[in-house]
Amino acid sequence: MLLKHAVDLLDEGVIVTRNDFVVAYVNPAYLHMFDLHNEELIGRSLKDLFPCEEKSKQITIHSITEKRELNVERLHYPWRGNEMILKVYTKHFEHEGEMYVITRIFDQTKAAEEEKELVRMIEEMTANVVPIAKGYALLPLQPILREEQKYILLDRVPEQCRNQNISRLAIQFSGITDINNDWAVLLKNLVMNLQLLGIEVVLAGLRPQVVMQFTKNGIQLEGVKSFMNIQQATKYFLETGYRPDIII
């Protein structure tokens, strides 16, 4: 009885099923998670309860059938018109001579949505090509805090430049205070990708300590000019090309 009270207080969903698939217990968190009532579940077979459930998502049934414990870290689970993201663990145990499976379910939907929004914000912050005049643009570099930012830069910046018909791009370094070997490889690859698309690349706003790290790491960028600030880079673009109407 004490154990039941403890499980009733858990935030995770818990369902206990006999080896014949009949539901023996569900805790309040499980009922709340799926908007169900106790009398809808207790004493009924899982196979009858959710007849439309995809077989690949029948984790408890698989655990009983295969006689093994299952751990699913990320299960996309459609439920009543919504897409839930669940983490599911099963464990077998014996009680009074009968075998049971306890299934623990963690609702990760909100965390997944927050992660998706964070990724979107990181993408916008990392690869934000800003037009400064017709055919000319600025890329304000941000510190690399997550590994996926490297791939975002390499994938999205050339794509944005192509979609916006950018022919000359100034990469602004004023937000960068440290350059390591990984940065060197990333920058070389980015510049090469842009140059292969026919885009002229210049650097602007490098800090003195970053310039020293360029030398220390042997970073050499062929055909890339460097300017003290973005104003100088913009002036260079305007004086060495046609004179478009300034956008910003």
Side-chain angles (χ1 to χ4, degrees):
M1 186 63 69
L2 178 62
L3 180 59
K4 178 182 179 301
H5 286 320
V7 177
D8 281 347
L9 294 174
L10 292 176
D11 292 330
E12 67 200 64
V14 175
I15 179 170
V16 177
T17 312
R18 298 200 313 246
N19 260 12
D20 59 0
F21 308 106
V22 172
V23 178
Y25 164 82
V26 290
N27 74 339
Y30 181 96
L31 298 173
H32 177 74
M33 189 179 298
F34 297 102
D35 192 22
L36 294 169
H37 299 285
N38 209 51
E39 56 272 17
E40 296 179 81
L41 302 173
I42 301 301
R44 298 186 60 188
S45 171
L46 285 179
K47 293 184 175 181
D48 298 330
L49 282 170
F50 310 111
C52 298
E53 186 179 54
E54 295 179 27
K55 288 187 177 181
S56 63
K57 303 183 187 303
Q58 297 174 348
I59 308 303
T60 302
I61 291 177
H62 288 318
S63 184
I64 295 173
T65 303
E66 298 169 14
K67 295 181 172 57
R68 65 187 181 96
E69 297 173 359
L70 298 176
N71 295 332
V72 181
E73 290 295 328
R74 192 177 182 88
L75 177 69
H76 291 263
Y77 193 82
W79 181 252
R80 295 183 176 177
N82 297 315
E83 180 78 12
M84 301 179 71
I85 307 296
L86 307 176
K87 182 163 59 174
V88 184
Y89 302 142
T90 68
K91 192 171 186 65
H92 293 247
F93 70 97
E94 183 179 352
H95 177 66
E96 295 182 350
E98 189 165 3
M99 294 302 300
Y100 293 84
V101 171
I102 181 171
T103 303
R104 302 165 58 203
I105 303 174
F106 301 81
D107 187 356
Q108 304 289 299
T109 308
K110 184 177 180 181
E113 290 174 351
E114 291 175 349
E115 175 68 15
K116 184 177 180 180
E117 177 62 18
L118 177 60
V119 169
R120 185 192 66 79
M121 292 174 61
I122 288 174
E123 287 181 352
E124 291 185 355
M125 177 185 72
T126 303
N128 183 25
V129 175
V130 182
I132 55 177
K134 185 178 180 180
Y136 308 159
L138 167 68
L139 173 65
L141 276 188
Q142 304 294 331
I144 298 294
L145 303 177
R146 297 162 63 108
E147 186 67 21
E148 58 263 36
Q149 284 180 267
K150 298 177 182 179
Y151 305 103
I152 291 170
L153 269 176
L154 292 176
D155 289 341
R156 287 174 60 94
V157 170
E159 181 181 355
Q160 288 186 28
C161 288
R162 184 184 59 189
N163 292 341
Q164 298 180 37
N165 294 318
I166 301 302
S167 59
R168 309 176 89 178
L169 179 69
I171 300 180
Q172 185 178 23
F173 273 79
S174 58
I176 304 299
T177 58
D178 183 70
I179 292 289
N180 56 25
N181 188 61
D182 288 343
W183 251 115
V185 173
L186 174 63
L187 186 60
K188 287 179 180 179
N189 289 336
L190 176 60
V191 170
M192 182 181 298
N193 290 350
L194 291 167
Q195 289 176 332
L196 287 173
L197 290 173
I199 299 169
E200 180 184 1
V201 179
V202 302
L203 310 183
L206 285 90
R207 299 169 183 261
Q209 63 268 34
V210 172
V211 172
M212 293 176 63
Q213 289 171 340
F214 261 71
T215 304
K216 180 180 178 181
N217 287 284
I219 303 175
Q220 296 181 356
L221 302 174
E222 297 295 332
V224 177
K225 296 181 180 296
S226 181
F227 299 91
M228 290 184 62
N229 50 53
I230 195 60
Q231 288 79 11
Q232 285 188 359
T234 303
K235 182 180 178 182
Y236 163 75
F237 283 161
L238 296 177
E239 290 180 348
T240 57
Y242 59 85
R243 295 178 177 272
D245 294 330
I246 299 296
I247 295 176
I248 58 173

